[in-house]
Amino acid sequence: MILVQNCRMIDPASQTDSLRDILIGEDRITKIAEAGTIDPAQITKEKEDELRILNADGLIAAPGLVDTHVHFRDPGFTYKEDIHTGSLAAAKGGFTTVVCMANTKPTVDNVDTLKDNLTRGKQEKIRMYQAAAISHSLKGQDEVDMAALKEAGACGFTDDGIPLTNAAFCYRAMQNAAKLDMPISLHEEDPAFIKNNGINHGKVSDALGIYGSPSIAEEALVARDCLLALRSGADVVIQHISGISVDIVRTYKKLGARLHAEATPHHFTLTEDAVLEHGTLAKMNPPLRTEADRQKIIEGLIDGTIDLIATDHAPHSAEEKSKPVTEAPSGIIGLETSLALGITSLVKPGHLSMLELLEKMTINPARLYHMPYGTISEGAAADFVIFDPDEKWVPCEYASKSSNTPFTGMELTGKVKYTVCGGNVIYSDK
């Protein structure tokens, strides 16, 4: 048993923000009461189980974070990350539930690969879900058997990393996902507009002597797929949105489309200028864009157009990232810095309240993916993160197998102290 004493409990699902004690028995939350009112002596008198007390004075207890967009690179690319090291990184960052993307080798486009990943994921201390591909081998031509994959345990569908350029194929996939009541997530970059991916077409690409990736590459597909979402009735996720596309999503949401949009911490924190400072460590798809684009993302987070914060945790080896900017792969790790970046870039400047930030990192993604998590309430799964919202720290060592991030050495605010999943402390900063 675990007793969390004197925490500031924030539960977005019930809009609760107050001082509480939380008692955990086995894998469930058994009691929530006013701070200081649960007597440890009485518990040990009534129960023979050993009681662990976590003193949470000055700390926030929130539902375990849920990240619906991670790459654990397993199977096929385990020199970058694997299910175990990815799970350790998630726990260190306060995440108790993640959704892994399908662009592995082999691709998660069949039941056998899906079941293998899920079986191995169950051996870890976090809760690992798996999205399946939309198309076989991510080629955007032949649709997978969505019904069979759902039956086998897939939680959604995505060809993440590769856009669906065939509009009719994309529309049929949305329709089929809608019939199954499953979310479908889309990487929105039309390659016809891109000469060099990962770097915004603008002043920085000019300084590097390359063309880069213009924002219209994203906007064109977002506009198309928002219309297809409206017509199909599917729950469509616009992944890692990077700027003016926020306005397009907002418009179609008002028309009734069941749209969801992700914002990554790097897109709401950094601009294209980071590439000049950090080189390939700031290269990602879609690229970091201008300050005006960053402000668009913040506006979308404030008004709810963007309802999800996801990391797009994308590990790469040091050797890969040391290649020239036009050759190095895109992507950065993000699980271990996500909460702190949300506090540093959104809460501290006053853009979002702590409750609003956590809503986009807990209950919103959990509900979209039909997960029974994302809330702190009596009888609910004992999954939560305990963190100091004011502690300053500097990322320098990672539980991830990779360290490709521009945030190394940057002072951040907000430090995870404990992560609890299924009633067990799976990470402790103590």
Side-chain angles (χ1 to χ4, degrees):
M1 299 180 72
I2 298 174
L3 174 60
V4 181
Q5 289 185 315
N6 302 317
C7 68
R8 176 187 169 193
M9 190 188 91
I10 298 181
D11 177 45
S14 62
Q15 295 290 292
T16 299
D17 184 347
S18 59
L19 297 178
R20 292 284 189 268
D21 288 346
I22 305 172
L23 181 63
I24 300 167
E26 296 184 357
D27 63 344
R28 297 277 150 183
I29 297 171
T30 57
K31 186 176 182 181
I32 298 173
E34 293 292 330
T37 62
I38 298 181
D39 183 2
Q42 186 65 32
I43 295 170
T44 54
K45 181 179 180 180
E46 296 175 355
K47 302 282 186 179
E48 295 182 0
D49 297 338
E50 183 179 346
L51 179 65
R52 179 176 181 180
I53 297 176
L54 301 181
N55 182 356
D57 280 334
L59 304 181
I60 292 175
L65 306 181
V66 179
D67 191 340
T68 56
H69 189 161
V70 304
H71 300 269
F72 281 178
R73 306 301 193 195
D74 193 349
F77 306 99
T78 53
Y79 66 94
K80 304 172 190 263
E81 191 82 283
D82 56 45
I83 286 173
H84 180 61
T85 58
S87 296
L88 293 176
K92 188 176 178 182
F95 290 91
T96 54
T97 305
V98 300
V99 175
C100 292
M101 297 294 97
N103 57 340
T104 52
K105 188 177 182 180
T107 305
V108 187
D109 59 6
N110 62 88
V111 167
D112 288 343
T113 301
L114 171 67
K115 285 186 173 181
D116 177 63
N117 275 15
L118 291 173
T119 298
R120 290 186 293 120
K122 288 178 181 177
Q123 299 172 18
E124 301 302 327
K125 294 179 180 180
I126 66 165
R127 305 183 192 276
M128 195 196 90
Y129 284 70
Q130 179 68 60
I134 298 170
S135 67
H136 283 288
S137 301
L138 307 178
K139 292 183 177 180
Q141 298 174 359
D142 301 311
E143 191 177 323
V144 300
D145 187 339
M146 286 187 171
L149 287 161
K150 177 182 179 180
E151 179 68 23
C155 65
F157 300 97
T158 180
D159 275 9
D160 176 57
I162 301 178
L164 297 178
T165 56
N166 185 316
F169 178 86
C170 184
Y171 185 48
R172 288 194 299 273
M174 286 185 189
Q175 290 176 309
N176 291 333
K179 291 176 184 176
L180 295 170
D181 191 24
M182 297 279 274
I184 184 167
S185 303
L186 303 172
H187 182 112
E188 304 288 42
E189 286 188 294
D190 189 335
F193 291 101
I194 301 171
K195 293 183 181 179
N196 312 100
N197 70 8
I199 309 295
N200 184 47
H201 173 63
K203 65 176 184 178
V204 172
S205 65
D206 289 345
L208 295 172
I210 62 176
Y211 182 82
S213 174
S215 61
I216 194 173
E218 178 181 300
E219 295 149 12
L221 283 190
V222 170
R224 183 200 75 179
D225 291 341
C226 283
L227 176 59
L228 298 182
L230 179 65
R231 297 304 188 195
S232 68
D235 278 301
V236 174
V237 180
I238 306 298
Q239 295 179 309
H240 39 47
I241 204 162
S242 74
I244 198 171
S245 297
V246 173
D247 293 331
I248 302 172
V249 172
R250 182 183 294 109
T251 297
Y252 276 88
K253 272 192 167 186
K254 290 177 180 177
L255 291 173
R258 296 172 62 176
L259 286 163
H260 310 269
E262 290 176 357
T264 71
H266 41 279
H267 283 109
F268 62 63
T269 299
L270 302 175
T271 69
E272 60 184 345
D273 293 332
V275 177
L276 296 178
E277 181 179 357
H278 301 285
T280 61
L281 292 178
K283 179 183 180 182
M284 67 275 299
N285 299 335
L288 300 170
R289 302 200 192 276
T290 67
E291 176 61 18
D293 289 306
R294 191 180 78 87
Q295 291 300 326
K296 282 287 184 184
I297 295 169
I298 292 173
E299 289 171 12
L301 287 162
I302 292 170
D303 71 12
T305 299
I306 300 173
D307 51 350
L308 308 170
I309 290 175
T311 64
D312 190 15
H313 177 79
H316 293 294
S317 69
E319 292 75 16
E320 289 169 322
K321 278 294 192 177
S322 67
K323 293 179 179 180
V325 69
T326 55
E327 299 175 23
S330 294
I332 70 170
I333 61 170
L335 285 164
E336 297 171 58
T337 54
S338 181
L339 177 60
L341 286 167
I343 294 170
T344 303
S345 299
L346 300 175
V347 176
K348 291 301 181 182
H351 301 306
L352 296 180
S353 67
M354 190 68 76
L355 189 147
E356 289 168 334
L357 171 70
L358 292 168
E359 185 176 48
K360 298 174 192 297
M361 301 182 74
T362 59
I363 192 61
N364 284 0
R367 283 174 175 164
L368 174 62
Y369 281 82
H370 311 297
M371 298 171 177
Y373 309 117
T375 182
I376 296 181
S377 57
E378 291 183 357
D383 294 6
F384 50 90
V385 57
I386 300 173
F387 62 96
D388 186 333
D390 299 311
E391 181 176 340
K392 297 184 184 301
W393 64 288
V394 177
C396 56
E397 295 181 356
Y398 301 97
S400 171
K401 193 177 288 189
S402 296
S403 58
N404 53 302
T405 170
F407 297 115
T408 299
M410 180 183 296
E411 185 178 81
L412 303 178
T413 301
K415 189 73 165 61
V416 174
K417 310 307 285 185
Y418 300 99
T419 304
V420 178
C421 186
N424 298 306
V425 177
I426 62 171
Y427 171 77
S428 173
D429 185 46
K430 301 292 186 179

